[in-house]
């Protein structure tokens, strides 16, 4: 699991949505006539509506009835588009202090206007800001529709196709029927937990960051007030989804820790380590301490008071399907999560077919490798042979060079996550932090601090997912090989997480001491489990399954858990729609592309060749990546 960027990547009008953890949505497919080019602007006859394109044709062709342009006209269009993308990217970064801080160590040097960046958490949306957002989206979509894609360079066409997908998703999500559908207080990723998480990972790199911390902390009360008011409007509209007891308990934990918080001590220790005069350090430490005491801690009491005030009023204890337009809302959410514009029915059918095929594969593995299966499910699985996270990363960093394109800078840093993030309670073993664009590309991982069996196969898989050849390698490749900052940071969820699952499973082949039966079992059971949970997610949030319906679904497949666990799973899936699809659906799409390449190339297939084609365009929608895979296949037949 990578640590998500904390802002909505595109068209950010206000920081109001920064900490909203559920994805927004709307209804059905977007009407492309709003943003599409006129027929005369189509790049070639291979255009498809989901940002597909023919990567071999970056120029116009008269035999396709395309406009013939002079080189000067093409250059002018390329310059105009470059200016547009740059403006949109920078405005989205400037709209969020967190985005600015995550992506840039020196934002001014990158052309970010810090006078446009408000240091703080912002405020929750209002009816007025929703309306302003729609006006802005419409204006951007209209300007985007004016570009002739066929005049653009190959890299710009990738930007164009990624931006087209984002525009479509944002238009879906911003439909006025879905105002106030964002959930700020839906555990486990409720507002209180997210504030702690974001501050726990906030890096103080230089003096300005030290100054900003106090301002950031002092902005929290206003932010909390706005989110509570937002939740009250939701409750009046019948759109609230929370668990009052869980949120209150989480806030009380923060209050009980008080000034002994590791969040505060980490801030103070980091400031002490800066190259500043002692007088300056003391000034910043005092400001941070005061803001923590006077703004941060009281904000959690505000949340408790707000939850108590709303307790007893409307609160949805089912999935999004229970909301008036919940099914349509969820559908757009799923499009965002899968990196497609496929309907829920199409995604559901795809997952059902894959689940059936994987189940057949599991039965085959059970019959061929009974001892390995028995050992695996009786906790007798072999260990990886490694005794530290660093050993795993160093070994994989070398091993991946045999089947991945080389990336020169694979530096990394690992440390324990802040205990107050409660990773164990969230069942998170580790996460990856997205690095700054303008930094040293040192990849960072945070691990659950209470202790794990480092030698276990599960730990090896987790480190391979978050580290090498997973997220750490993927982002190092993107930052080293993609020129466009927009494309570097697009990060389509299902491509990023799907690739990490693909990488973790391929990394099993780096362990020659582990029997083949174990490897095959894990390579099939992992996507099978993701598919099952994704189908349950769709069932709850689109088809309106009750907890009993979900429990029956899992029991029919062969899962066995008691009612308490069943409720925990149900609550997680209903409150975090689309959480599993990026992993499962994303991996399955990549696996399909690889199988196609293997089938068509036979002995000419190489893992290195496939992985190079897979990575080359960046973490962009699947329709773009598939074009690169098709080109790889054609060029190597």
């Amino acid at each position: 699991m990578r640590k998500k960027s904390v802002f909505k990547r595109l068209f950010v009008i206000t920081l109001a949505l920064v900490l909203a953890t559920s994805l927004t949505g709307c209804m059905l497919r977007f009407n492309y006539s709003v943003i599409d080019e006129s027929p005369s602007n189509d790049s070639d006859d291979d255009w498809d509506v989901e940002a597909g394109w023919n990567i071999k044709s970056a120029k116009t062709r008269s035999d396709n009835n395309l406009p013939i342009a002079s080189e000067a006209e093409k250059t002018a269009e390329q310059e105009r588009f470059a200016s547009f993308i740059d403006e949109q990217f920078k405005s989205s970064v400037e709209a969020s202090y967190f985005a600015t801080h995550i992506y840039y160590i020196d934002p001014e040097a990158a052309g970010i206007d810090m006078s446009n960046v408000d240091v703080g958490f912002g405020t929750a949306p209002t009816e007025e800001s929703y309306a302003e957002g729609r006006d802005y989206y419409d204006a951007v979509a209209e300007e985007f529709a004016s570009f002739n894609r066929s005049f653009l360079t190959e890299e710009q066409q990738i930007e164009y196709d990624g931006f087209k997908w984002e525009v479509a998703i944002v238009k879906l999500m911003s439909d006025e029927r879905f105002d106030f559908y964002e959930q700020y207080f839906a555990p486990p990723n409720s507002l209180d937990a997210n504030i702690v998480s974001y501050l726990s990972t906030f890096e103080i790199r230089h003096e300005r960051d030290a100054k900003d911390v106090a301002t950031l902390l002092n902005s929290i009360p206003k932010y909390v007030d706005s989110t509570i008011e937002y939740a009250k409007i939701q409750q009046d509209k019948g759109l609230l989804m929370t668990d009052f007891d869980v949120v209150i308990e989480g806030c009380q934990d923060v209050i009980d820790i008080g000034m002994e918080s590791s969040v505060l001590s980490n801030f103070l220790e980091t400031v002490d380590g800066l190259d500043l005069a002692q007088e300056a350090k003391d000034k910043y430490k005092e400001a941070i301490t005061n803001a923590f005491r006077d703004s941060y801690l009281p904000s959690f009491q505000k949340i408790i008071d707000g939850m108590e005030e709303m307790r007893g009023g409307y609160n949805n204890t089912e999935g999004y399907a229970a909301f008036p337009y919940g099914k349509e809302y969820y559908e757009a959410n799923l499009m965002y999560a899968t990196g497609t514009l496929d309907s829920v029915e199409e995604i559901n059918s795809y997952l059902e077919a894959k689940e059936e095929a994987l189940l057949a594969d599991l039965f085959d593995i059970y019959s061929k490798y009974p001892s390995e299966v028995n050992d695996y499910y009786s906790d007798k699985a072999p260990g990886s042979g490694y005794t530290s996270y660093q050993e795993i990363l160093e070994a994989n960093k070398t091993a991946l060079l045999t089947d991945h394109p080389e990336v020169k800078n694979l530096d990394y840093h690992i440390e324990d996550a802040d205990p107050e993030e409660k990773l164990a309670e969230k069942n998170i073993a580790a996460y990856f932090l997205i690095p700054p664009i303008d930094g040293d590309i040192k990849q960072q991982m945070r691990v659950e601090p209470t202790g794990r069996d480092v030698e276990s196969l599960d730990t090896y898989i987790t480190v391979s997912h978050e580290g090498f050849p997973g997220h750490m390698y993927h982002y190092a490749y993107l930052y080293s090989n993609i020129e466009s900052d927009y494309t570097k940071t697009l990060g389509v969820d299902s491509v990023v997480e799907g690739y990490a699952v693909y990488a973790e499973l391929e990394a099993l082949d780096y362990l020659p001491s582990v029997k083949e039966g174990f490897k095959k079992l894990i390579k099939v059971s992992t996507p099978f489990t993701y598919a099952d949970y994704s189908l349950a997610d769709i069932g709850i949030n689109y088809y309106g399954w009750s907890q009993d319906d979900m429990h029956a679904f899992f029991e029919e497949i062969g899962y066995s858990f008691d009612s308490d666990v069943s409720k925990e799973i149900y609550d997680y899936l209903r409150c975090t729609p689309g959480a599993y699809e990026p992993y499962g659906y994303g991996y399955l799409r990549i696996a399909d592309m690889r199988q196609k390449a293997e089938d068509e190339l036979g002995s000419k297939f190489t893992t290195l060749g496939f992985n190079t084609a897979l990575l080359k365009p960046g973490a962009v929608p699947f329709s773009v990546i598939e074009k690169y895979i098709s080109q790889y296949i054609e060029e190597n037949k």
Side-chain angles (χ1 to χ4, degrees), residues 459-523:
T459 296
Y460 175 81
I461 290 169
T462 296
V463 175
S464 297
H465 181 107
E466 306 297 340
F468 305 128
H471 289 323
M472 282 187 173
Y473 169 79
H474 196 186
Y475 271 82
Y477 178 91
L478 292 175
Y479 282 19
S480 299
N481 292 279
I482 303 294
E483 290 295 324
S484 165
D485 283 354
Y486 169 76
T487 304
K488 281 180 185 177
T489 60
L490 179 57
V492 174
D493 274 2
S494 60
V495 175
V496 173
E497 296 299 352
Y499 174 80
V501 174
Y502 168 76
E504 76 181 46
L505 298 181
E506 291 300 304
L508 290 169
D509 294 333
Y510 302 160
L511 297 174
S513 62
V514 176
K515 293 180 181 179
E516 194 64 22
F518 281 113
K519 295 177 184 178
K520 287 183 179 294
L521 177 61
I522 295 169
K523 287 184 178 184

Side-chain angles (χ1 to χ4, degrees), residues 107-179:
E108 287 98 338
I112 301 300
D113 185 350
M114 291 303 293
S115 67
N116 293 331
V117 181
D118 292 329
V119 179
F121 279 78
T123 56
T126 62
E127 290 184 358
E128 292 76 16
S129 66
Y130 276 127
E132 290 172 4
R134 279 186 284 276
D135 290 342
Y136 178 70
Y137 307 154
D138 288 343
V140 171
E142 183 177 357
E143 184 176 1
F144 178 67
S146 72
F147 291 102
N148 190 320
R149 181 184 176 282
S150 65
F151 291 175
L152 305 180
T153 66
E154 179 177 324
E155 183 173 13
Q156 286 182 320
Q157 288 184 344
I158 294 175
E159 290 179 317
Y160 180 100
D161 293 338
F163 198 87
K164 181 176 182 176
W165 175 79
E166 282 205 290
V167 168
I169 294 296
V170 170
K171 291 289 287 184
L172 284 166
M173 292 177 173
S174 64
D175 187 286
E176 64 182 331
R177 292 175 302 167
F178 306 103
D179 292 354

Side-chain angles (χ1 to χ4, degrees), residues 568-589:
E568 183 179 342
I569 294 171
Y570 185 81
D571 285 344
Y572 181 84
L573 292 175
R574 72 183 181 84
C575 291
T576 55
Y580 281 91
E581 284 82 355
Y583 299 84
Y585 179 89
Y587 166 76
L588 291 167
R589 286 290 295 268

Side-chain angles (χ1 to χ4, degrees), residues 172-194:
L172 284 166
M173 292 177 173
S174 64
D175 187 286
E176 64 182 331
R177 292 175 302 167
F178 306 103
D179 292 354
F180 297 99
Y181 269 58
E182 290 278 359
Q183 300 296 326
Y184 283 86
F185 296 102
N189 297 314
S190 58
L191 186 75
D192 57 297
N194 283 333

